[in-house]
Coordinates of all heavy atoms in Angstrom, one line a residue:
G122 N 192.7 111.1 73.6 CA 194.1 111.0 74.0 C 195.0 110.5 73.0 O 194.7 110.3 71.8
L123 N 196.3 110.2 73.5 CA 197.4 109.8 72.6 C 197.6 108.3 72.6 O 197.5 107.7 73.7 CB 198.7 110.5 73.1 CG 200.0 110.1 72.4 CD1 200.0 110.6 71.0 CD2 201.2 110.7 73.2
I124 N 197.8 107.7 71.5 CA 198.1 106.3 71.3 C 199.5 106.2 70.7 O 199.7 106.8 69.6 CB 197.1 105.6 70.4 CG1 195.7 105.7 71.1 CG2 197.4 104.1 70.3 CD1 194.6 105.5 70.1
K125 N 200.4 105.6 71.3 CA 201.7 105.4 70.8 C 201.9 103.9 70.4 O 201.6 103.0 71.1 CB 202.8 105.8 71.8 CG 202.9 107.3 72.1 CD 204.1 107.5 73.0 CE 204.2 109.0 73.3 NZ 205.4 109.3 74.1
I126 N 202.4 103.8 69.1 CA 202.8 102.4 68.6 C 204.2 102.4 68.1 O 204.5 103.2 67.2 CB 201.8 102.0 67.5 CG1 200.3 102.1 68.0 CG2 202.1 100.7 66.9 CD1 199.3 102.0 66.9
Y127 N 205.0 101.6 68.7 CA 206.4 101.7 68.3 C 207.1 100.3 68.4 O 206.6 99.4 69.1 CB 207.2 102.7 69.2 CG 207.1 102.4 70.7 CD1 208.1 101.6 71.3 CD2 206.1 102.9 71.4 CE1 208.0 101.4 72.7 CE2 206.0 102.7 72.8 CZ 207.0 101.9 73.4 OH 206.9 101.7 74.8
G128 N 208.2 100.1 67.7 CA 208.9 98.8 67.6 C 209.4 98.6 66.2 O 209.8 99.5 65.5
D129 N 209.4 97.3 65.8 CA 209.9 96.9 64.5 C 208.9 96.1 63.7 O 208.3 95.2 64.2 CB 211.2 96.0 64.8 CG 212.0 95.7 63.5 OD1 211.4 95.8 62.4 OD2 213.2 95.4 63.7
F130 N 208.6 96.6 62.5 CA 207.6 96.0 61.7 C 208.0 94.5 61.4 O 207.1 93.7 61.1 CB 207.5 96.8 60.3 CG 206.5 96.3 59.4 CD1 205.1 96.3 59.8 CD2 206.8 95.8 58.2 CE1 204.1 95.8 58.9 CE2 205.8 95.3 57.3 CZ 204.5 95.3 57.6
N131 N 209.3 94.2 61.4 CA 209.7 92.8 61.2 C 209.6 92.0 62.5 O 209.9 90.8 62.4 CB 211.1 92.8 60.7 CG 211.3 93.4 59.3 OD1 210.3 93.4 58.5 ND2 212.4 93.9 59.0
D132 N 209.1 92.5 63.5 CA 208.9 91.8 64.8 C 207.6 92.2 65.4 O 207.5 92.8 66.5 CB 210.1 92.2 65.8 CG 210.1 91.3 67.0 OD1 209.4 90.3 67.0 OD2 210.7 91.7 68.0
I133 N 206.5 91.9 64.7 CA 205.2 92.3 65.0 C 204.8 91.9 66.5 O 204.1 92.7 67.2 CB 204.1 91.8 64.0 CG1 204.3 92.4 62.7 CG2 202.7 92.0 64.5 CD1 204.0 93.9 62.6
K134 N 205.2 90.7 66.9 CA 204.7 90.2 68.2 C 205.2 91.1 69.3 O 204.6 91.1 70.4 CB 205.2 88.8 68.4 CG 204.5 87.8 67.5 CD 205.0 86.4 67.8 CE 204.2 85.3 67.0 NZ 204.7 83.9 67.3
N135 N 206.3 91.8 69.1 CA 206.9 92.6 70.2 C 206.6 94.1 70.1 O 207.3 94.9 70.7 CB 208.4 92.3 70.3 CG 208.6 90.9 70.9 OD1 208.0 90.5 71.8 ND2 209.5 90.2 70.2
I136 N 205.7 94.5 69.2 CA 205.4 95.9 69.0 C 204.7 96.4 70.3 O 203.9 95.7 70.9 CB 204.4 96.1 67.8 CG1 205.3 96.0 66.5 CG2 203.7 97.4 67.9 CD1 204.5 96.2 65.3
K137 N 205.0 97.6 70.8 CA 204.5 98.1 72.0 C 203.4 99.1 71.7 O 203.5 99.9 70.7 CB 205.6 98.8 72.8 CG 206.7 97.9 73.2 CD 206.3 96.8 74.1 CE 207.5 95.9 74.5 NZ 207.1 94.7 75.3
I138 N 202.3 99.1 72.5 CA 201.2 100.0 72.4 C 201.0 100.7 73.7 O 200.8 100.0 74.7 CB 199.9 99.3 71.9 CG1 200.1 98.6 70.6 CG2 198.8 100.3 71.9 CD1 198.9 97.7 70.2
E139 N 201.0 102.0 73.7 CA 200.7 102.8 74.9 C 199.4 103.6 74.6 O 199.4 104.3 73.6 CB 201.9 103.7 75.2 CG 203.1 103.0 75.6 CD 204.3 104.0 76.0 OE1 204.0 105.2 76.0 OE2 205.4 103.5 76.2
D140 N 198.5 103.4 75.5 CA 197.2 104.2 75.3 C 196.6 104.6 76.6 O 197.4 104.7 77.6 CB 196.2 103.3 74.5 CG 196.0 101.9 75.1 OD1 196.4 101.7 76.2 OD2 195.4 101.1 74.4
N141 N 195.4 104.7 76.7 CA 194.7 105.1 78.0 C 194.4 104.0 78.9 O 193.4 103.8 79.5 CB 193.4 105.8 77.7 CG 193.6 107.2 76.9 OD1 194.4 108.0 77.4 ND2 192.9 107.3 75.8
G142 N 195.4 103.1 79.0 CA 195.3 101.9 79.9 C 194.4 100.8 79.4 O 194.1 99.9 80.1
E143 N 194.1 100.9 78.1 CA 193.3 99.9 77.4 C 194.1 98.6 77.1 O 193.6 97.5 77.3 CB 192.6 100.4 76.2 CG 191.5 101.5 76.5 CD 190.2 100.8 76.8 OE1 190.1 99.6 76.8 OE2 189.2 101.6 77.1
N144 N 195.2 98.8 76.5 CA 196.0 97.7 75.9 C 196.4 96.6 77.0 O 196.3 95.4 76.6 CB 197.2 98.2 75.2 CG 197.8 97.1 74.3 OD1 197.2 96.6 73.5 ND2 199.1 96.8 74.6
P145 N 196.8 97.0 78.2 CA 197.1 95.9 79.2 C 195.9 95.0 79.4 O 196.1 93.8 79.7 CB 197.4 96.7 80.4 CG 197.9 98.0 79.9 CD 197.1 98.3 78.7

């Protein structure tokens, strides 16, 4: 499946990861 990683490289702590329900 698809893994999405988005946000700001200068704000690593708040980067969002969307995957197959693994990250939560």
Side-chain angles (χ1 to χ4, degrees):
L123 175 65
I124 300 160
K125 289 186 177 182
I126 302 171
Y127 56 93
D129 191 333
F130 183 63
N131 292 336
D132 187 16
I133 292 291
K134 289 184 178 179
N135 292 312
I136 283 178
K137 302 298 181 184
I138 301 173
E139 294 180 5
D140 54 12
N141 294 308
E143 290 277 358
N144 194 57

